[in-house]
């Protein structure tokens, strides 16, 4: 395989490429779904191929080839990439410049204890069926689901600068949910979150750690209770976000906003662009002084981690917001010159047949000093919301609206009532500017979002977030239109 990659790079150079890289990727995945104690599907997938990227005449060209046995087809892919770069150069007026990076030869694999692909399918199905049976047993519950997802990816990266990197990552995740239909109203409760649960860079030991069966009775009970809960009030009040909802808040209003290709207009056609223009770096109050955000592509357990990105750049930890001030972007080699000339390892591709673009690694909200109890006890009137049900945010990541599965009214420092169909809205810097408190490291947790869409043609990335709990003041809730 390395010989094929090397030959592809050398052939691209013989055709005049200023730079070339080649990536071989092999993905093995398994997705298991159960509904109302019946197996809905077991999808096993194996996919591999090679992607070739060239810089010619100051522009990128990319082509891919699934036939890893044929030198002739590989040469055809290289020729296609070069021709696309030449065509792009005729349409553009500013040649790309690549940030410097170290030349590396390395091999790395993510740690795990128990390979999920070695766990018997019967055991995995029994777990999900048992969970749905428990929830089905609660009177009023109409629909129950459970899912498990496993992802193992091997990659070899080589480039014309002399780098050769071999990496392997293993991710595991899953979740359960219950739905209740009464009086024409639909209620849903999920654990550990909606949209197929939580995901970690880990083996099957993470599935055991989540203990899905333990949470199944609670979901069944809460989803029925929601039908008699109070409706979300329409007013301004303090808001405390639970971890699974705070993950999406960080993802949508922070993570995507700091992707530098959006700022530069490279990513504008599919929910692209950003309000964080170049003049705002080190000069824009993004949030209160309690808000500290950082990207970290190196942290263990996060599904956005690896040792190197898909340009062979070492992953790193860099600040995004420091004491409330916006200080840095997520960058690739061809966008880094617009900040400080250094890529922070945030260029990734969905497999072998996509070109790397700027993607979130793991965008984290640093822990504060409070506890959840203290955030609640300091609230005169507010709500505690968790587990996302809907979201909407504009292309610039400025104006957003979110809904959650469940909420609880807080009055005079105590939780008093369950709230159904809670919603809230805000303007990103105003919302984060009202951040009054963040829970401490004791309550900080790793979350994984495996279905982050970006680009056109769209690519799906696997992204991590670290959060605890956070409190925001004077938020508009109960958004009906």
């Amino acid at each position: 395989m390395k010989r094929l990659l090397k030959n592809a790079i050398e052939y691209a150079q013989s055709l005049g490429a200023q730079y070339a890289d080649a990536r071989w990727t092999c993905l093995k995945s398994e997705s298991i779904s159960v509904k109302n104690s019946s197996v809905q599907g077991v999808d096993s997938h194996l996919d591999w191929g090679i992607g070739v990227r060239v810089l010619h005449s100051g522009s990128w060209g990319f082509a891919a080839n699934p036939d890893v046995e044929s030198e002739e087809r590989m040469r055809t892919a290289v020729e296609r990439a070069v021709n696309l770069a030449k065509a792009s150069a005729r349409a553009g007026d500013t040649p790309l410049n690549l940030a410097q990076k170290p030349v590396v030869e390395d091999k790395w694999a993510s740690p795990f204890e128990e390979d999920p692909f070695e766990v018997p399918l019967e055991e995995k199905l029994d777990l999900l069926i048992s969970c749905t049976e428990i929830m089905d047993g609660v009177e009023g519950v109409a629909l129950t689901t459970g899912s498990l997802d496993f992802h193992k990816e091997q990659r070899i990266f080589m480039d014309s600068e002399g780098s050769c990197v071999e990496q392997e990552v293993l991710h595991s995740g899953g979740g359960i949910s219950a739905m209740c239909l009464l009086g024409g109203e639909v209620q849903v409760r999920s654990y550990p979150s909606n949209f197929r649960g939580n995901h970690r860079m880990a083996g099957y030991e993470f599935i055991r750690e989540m203990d899905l069966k333990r949470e199944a009775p609670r979901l069944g009970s809460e989803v029925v209770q929601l039908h008699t809960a109070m409706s979300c009030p329409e007013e301004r009040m303090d808001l405390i976000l639970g971890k699974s909802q705070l993950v999406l808040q960080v993802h949508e209003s922070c993570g995507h906003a700091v992707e530098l290709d959006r700022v530069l207009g490279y990513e504008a056609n599919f929910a692209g662009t950003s309000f964080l223009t170049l003049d705002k770096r080190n000069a824009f109050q993004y949030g209160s002084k309690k808000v500290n955000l950082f990207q970290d592509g190196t942290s263990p357990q996060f599904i956005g981690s690896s040792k190197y990105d898909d340009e062979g750049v070492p992953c790193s930890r860099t600040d995004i917001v420091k004491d409330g001030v916006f200080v840095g972007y997520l960058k690739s080699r061809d966008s880094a010159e617009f900040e400080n000339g250094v890529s922070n390892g945030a260029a990734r591709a969905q497999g072998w047949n996509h070109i790397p673009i700027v993607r979130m690694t793991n965008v984290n909200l640093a822990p504060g000093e409070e506890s959840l109890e203290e955030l609640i006890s300091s609230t005169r009137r507010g709500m505690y919301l968790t587990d996302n049900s809907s979201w909407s945010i504009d292309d610039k990541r400025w104006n957003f609206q979110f809904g959650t599965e469940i909420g609880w009214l807080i009055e005079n420092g105590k939780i008093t009532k369950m709230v159904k169909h809670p919603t809230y809205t805000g303007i990103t810097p105003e919302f984060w500017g009202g951040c009054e408190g963040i829970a401490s490291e004791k309550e900080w947790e790793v979350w994984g979002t495996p279905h982050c869409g970006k680009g056109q043609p769209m690519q799906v990335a696997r992204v991590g977030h670290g959060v605890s709990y956070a409190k925001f003041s004077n938020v508009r809730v109960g958004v009906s239109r």
Side-chain angles (χ1 to χ4, degrees):
M1 192 59 60
K2 290 181 182 179
R3 177 189 56 78
L4 190 63
L5 298 181
K6 183 179 179 181
N7 289 349
I9 291 168
E10 290 176 348
Y11 185 49
Q13 289 178 299
S14 74
L15 296 177
Q18 304 155 252
Y19 166 87
D21 59 40
R23 289 177 295 109
W24 171 80
T25 299
C26 180
L27 171 64
K28 180 180 182 181
S29 64
E30 182 179 71
S31 181
I32 304 170
S33 300
V34 167
K35 181 169 71 174
N36 289 113
S37 307
S38 298
V39 178
Q40 291 298 292
V42 178
D43 178 21
S44 296
H45 183 71
L46 184 63
D47 183 40
W48 62 82
I50 293 175
V52 179
R53 186 178 67 155
V54 303
L55 185 65
H56 194 293
S57 306
S59 293
W60 285 124
F62 176 80
N65 173 31
D67 187 350
V68 298
E69 303 296 329
S70 171
E71 286 276 2
E72 182 180 352
R73 290 194 65 181
M74 192 70 257
R75 290 169 70 89
T76 300
V78 173
E79 292 166 1
R80 187 182 301 118
V82 170
N83 289 334
L84 286 170
K86 290 178 179 179
S88 296
R90 289 194 292 271
D93 56 5
T94 305
L96 296 173
N97 295 308
L98 297 186
Q100 295 296 311
K101 71 172 180 66
V103 175
V104 293
E105 290 191 37
D106 201 0
K107 190 173 183 178
W108 174 85
S110 65
F112 65 91
E113 296 175 14
E114 188 176 7
D115 189 337
F117 294 97
E118 299 298 325
V119 176
L121 177 60
E122 291 78 10
E123 180 178 343
K124 292 178 277 195
L125 288 172
D126 284 346
L127 170 63
L128 296 180
I129 291 171
S130 295
C131 290
T132 56
E133 285 176 343
I134 292 170
M135 294 183 289
D136 286 334
V138 178
E139 186 177 355
V141 172
L143 177 66
T144 60
T145 63
S147 63
L148 294 174
D149 297 285
F150 307 105
H151 173 104
K152 181 184 288 185
E153 188 172 9
Q154 297 171 279
R155 286 174 282 174
I156 301 176
F157 170 90
M158 298 181 72
D159 65 21
S160 57
E161 297 171 344
S163 288
C164 179
V165 175
E166 298 179 62
Q167 299 187 97
E168 182 174 317
V169 296
L170 176 64
H171 302 162
S172 300
I176 57 175
S177 69
M179 179 185 292
C180 187
L181 310 171
L182 291 174
E185 181 180 81
V186 178
Q187 298 293 343
V188 178
R189 288 296 292 124
S190 307
Y191 172 81
S193 67
N194 208 337
F195 314 113
R196 298 187 76 86
N198 194 8
H199 298 252
R200 291 260 180 97
M201 180 180 282
Y204 199 76
E205 66 275 6
F206 176 58
I207 305 302
R208 302 190 193 282
E209 178 187 323
M210 283 196 290
D211 202 353
L212 299 175
K213 287 179 68 174
R214 179 195 63 205
E215 300 296 329
R218 175 179 63 82
L219 295 190
S221 174
E222 286 183 352
V223 76
V224 175
Q225 292 177 52
L226 276 168
H227 284 280
T228 56
M230 67 174 286
S231 297
C232 183
E234 296 186 27
E235 60 181 275
R236 285 189 172 270
M237 61 170 62
D238 291 346
L239 199 64
I240 298 172
L241 295 185
K243 298 176 188 178
S244 64
Q245 177 59 27
L246 191 54
V247 162
L248 191 67
Q249 185 72 58
V250 169
H251 183 95
E252 297 294 347
S253 67
C254 306
H256 280 306
V258 301
E259 293 167 333
L260 188 50
D261 59 342
R262 290 176 175 272
V263 175
L264 299 174
Y266 300 170
E267 167 63 20
N269 203 31
F270 182 80
T273 76
S274 170
F275 73 93
L276 287 172
T277 49
L278 294 173
D279 60 299
K280 289 183 171 61
R281 180 171 171 258
N282 296 322
F284 182 74
Q285 196 69 34
Y286 186 93
S288 73
K289 290 185 177 181
K290 290 182 177 288
V291 177
N292 290 279
L293 292 158
F294 63 96
Q295 75 81 26
D296 187 355
T298 68
S299 299
Q301 297 188 314
F302 288 83
I303 64 172
S305 291
S306 58
K307 194 170 182 181
Y308 303 91
D309 73 355
D310 284 333
E311 294 186 310
V313 175
C315 294
S316 62
R317 171 174 169 157
T318 56
D319 289 327
I320 291 172
V321 173
K322 188 70 174 176
D323 299 327
V325 177
F326 169 61
V327 297
Y329 296 100
L330 291 159
K331 298 165 288 182
S332 57
R333 291 186 72 188
D334 62 4
S335 61
E337 66 171 306
F338 296 95
E339 186 183 282
N340 60 3
V342 180
S343 171
N344 49 12
R348 291 189 292 160
Q350 181 191 340
W352 57 273
N353 55 351
H354 288 84
I355 192 168
I357 58 177
V358 178
R359 299 308 303 254
M360 280 181 264
T361 53
N362 307 301
V363 176
N364 307 318
L365 178 63
E369 300 178 350
E370 293 90 346
S371 66
L372 175 60
E373 289 184 2
E374 289 170 334
L375 296 177
I376 292 172
S377 64
S378 64
T379 302
R380 186 186 65 81
R381 181 171 175 80
M383 279 198 298
Y384 168 65
L385 305 184
T386 191
D387 300 330
N388 184 263
S389 61
S390 65
W391 72 94
S392 175
I393 190 165
D394 66 23
D395 288 359
K396 289 184 176 293
R397 305 287 140 172
W398 181 257
N399 189 355
F400 62 83
Q401 179 178 318
F402 293 111
T404 65
E405 291 181 355
I406 194 167
W408 287 270
L409 188 66
I410 302 171
E411 297 174 295
N412 298 317
K414 294 183 179 181
I415 290 178
T416 57
K417 300 174 184 177
M418 183 182 286
V419 178
K420 63 182 176 182
H421 299 307
T423 56
Y424 67 99
T425 188
I427 303 296
T428 295
E430 293 176 3
F431 181 81
W432 287 100
C435 183
E436 291 189 345
I438 301 172
S440 70
E441 191 171 1
K442 289 182 180 180
E443 295 178 292
W444 203 75
E445 190 175 351
V446 175
W447 291 80
T449 301
H451 306 299
C452 174
K454 181 183 173 183
Q456 200 169 34
M458 190 176 77
Q459 298 190 39
V460 177
R462 305 175 70 81
V463 179
H465 298 287
V467 299
S468 50
Y469 302 93
K471 179 180 175 180
F472 303 87
S473 64
N474 196 32
V475 179
R476 183 185 167 200
V477 303
V479 185
S480 58
R481 59 181 178 178

